[in-house]
Amino acid sequence: MNQTRTWLITGATSGIGRELTLQALENGESVAALARDTSSLRELTHAHTDRLLLLPTDVREEQAVEEAVKSTLARFGRIDVVANNAGYGLFGAVEEASDAQARAVFDTNVFGALNVLRATLPVLRAQRSGHVLQGSSVYGQSAHPGVGLLAATKYAVEGLTDALAAEVAPLGIKVTLIQPGMTATPFLANLDVAAGLDDYDPTVRQVHQAIGEMPASAFSDAARIAEGIRGAVDSPNPPLRLALGASSAAALRPALEARLADLEAWLHVTEAVDRR
Ligand SMILES: NC(=O)c1ccc[n+]([C@@H]2O[C@H](COP(=O)([O-])OP(=O)(O)OC[C@H]3O[C@@H](n4cnc5c(N)ncnc54)[C@H](OP(=O)(O)O)[C@@H]3O)[C@@H](O)[C@H]2O)c1
């Protein structure tokens, strides 16, 4: 199975997507690699002529994504793994992000991912097999000052994925949310940053500065993240959510415990509203 597996990877030119692409090729698998500019992968096509298909595609453009999927099928005949990985971050207080910035990050991180789902799920449904990897984050279930809009996109991906996983499981399709913590990729360099309001200096700017001053050792290695993702794809029982990196677990655990604690502490009110 591993030898012939075909991946469709968005955001394949950089960071986690690039590592997924490299590891799949090293393992004899085929890759349809999507990004707006795929030229940085061109040198790899010489070594992997038959197994690497470069598809310059903007995930925000539905028709372009559909064309990319058609090209993938024409070349490889099937799609086994869809890595819905393309995305970027927006940093700033919720109030600071402009309407245009907020809509733009949703366009890529949420509506782009939906374009990929609508184009690939008919293929996976017809096969009655496949694995969808949904690009979430530690910010898919937790947030702190400065990441509100980024977290909003990842929470959106998590919400639709909870439903999606249950919808496609009877059709033979597996779904896993990928929740990396801080990972050493160009993600921070590609960050959009909202204009600052002084009132948020002690919170948002302080966090931004702290992230900027973190040592390299605080960031997970993208190749190791890709190895973790491959482990879930290889598993007969992959998880619905896969946290990757100690920083992810360290943020997710208290966030999840706090939700349960709120639920339990206020259960008397929760239940009282039903007793009339
Ligand atoms: N790095 C982290 O700390 C971290 C932590 C948690 C979650 N994540 C998530 O992991 C995923 C990958 O992040 P990364 O760190 O690997 O980022 P990265 O190194 O900045 O790579 C982003 C990739 O997405 C592509 N991309 C961006 N906009 C696109 C669009 N509109 N259409 C098609 N491709 C597009 C980029 O290529 P082009 O610019 O050529 O299109 C690039 O290949 C993202 O969803 C991110 O939110 C990252």
Side-chain angles (χ1 to χ4, degrees):
M1 164 71 177
N2 280 12
Q3 297 306 306
T4 58
R5 196 159 58 187
T6 295
W7 294 66
L8 183 143
I9 301 174
T10 69
T13 54
S14 178
I16 295 167
R18 184 180 173 89
E19 291 299 334
L20 278 175
T21 299
L22 295 177
Q23 291 179 22
L25 292 173
E26 276 161 24
N27 280 277
E29 301 161 26
S30 301
V31 179
L34 281 67
R36 286 167 298 183
D37 177 3
T38 57
S39 56
S40 65
L41 292 177
R42 207 171 288 145
E43 86 272 13
L44 287 173
T45 55
H46 305 307
H48 305 286
T49 327
D50 299 334
R51 292 191 289 110
L52 176 59
L53 179 62
L54 301 186
L55 296 165
T57 308
D58 188 329
V59 294
R60 295 171 297 184
E61 293 173 13
E62 182 171 26
Q63 217 177 335
V65 174
E66 285 170 6
E67 289 302 321
V69 170
K70 275 188 204 156
S71 303
T72 304
L73 288 179
R75 171 71 82 88
F76 301 123
R78 58 182 293 116
I79 301 172
D80 299 295
V81 188
V82 176
N84 220 342
N85 163 76
Y88 74 93
L90 167 58
F91 196 91
V94 170
E95 183 188 347
E96 289 170 342
S98 70
D99 183 63
Q101 286 175 312
R103 287 176 191 277
V105 76
F106 269 82
D107 261 350
T108 296
N109 293 8
V110 181
F111 295 108
L114 280 170
N115 284 339
V116 173
L117 288 176
R118 281 194 303 271
T120 55
L121 284 174
V123 179
L124 273 49
R125 282 191 291 108
Q127 294 171 177
R128 286 294 192 267
S129 73
H131 197 155
V132 177
L133 305 171
Q134 290 281 76
S136 183
S137 164
V138 59
Y139 298 134
Q141 291 183 300
S142 69
H144 55 68
V147 299
L149 268 304
L150 170 59
T153 67
K154 298 301 185 181
Y155 275 59
V157 167
E158 296 242 351
L160 70 89
T161 302
D162 277 334
L164 174 76
E167 290 164 2
V168 299
L171 307 175
I173 302 167
K174 297 169 182 171
V175 182
T176 300
L177 283 154
I178 305 302
Q179 301 175 313
M182 308 253 292
T183 308
T185 73
F187 184 83
L188 287 179
N190 293 333
L191 209 57
D192 187 11
V193 180
L197 298 170
D198 293 349
D199 277 348
Y200 296 108
D201 284 350
T203 49
V204 173
R205 243 62 63 200
Q206 195 271 335
V207 168
H208 201 179
Q209 191 181 337
I211 291 174
E213 289 169 358
M214 278 181 166
S217 59
F219 293 81
S220 297
D221 178 56
R224 302 283 293 278
I225 297 284
E227 283 168 20
I229 294 170
R230 290 182 60 81
V233 173
D234 288 339
S235 168
N237 295 306
L240 176 56
R241 287 180 167 77
L242 180 63
L244 290 161
S247 67
S248 186
L252 286 172
R253 188 173 287 113
L256 297 175
E257 285 171 354
R259 281 187 206 179
L260 209 48
D262 274 350
L263 183 69
E264 299 300 348
W266 287 83
L267 204 56
H268 57 293
V269 176
T270 305
E271 293 179 344
V273 302
D274 295 333
R275 280 187 232 116
R276 284 274 184 272

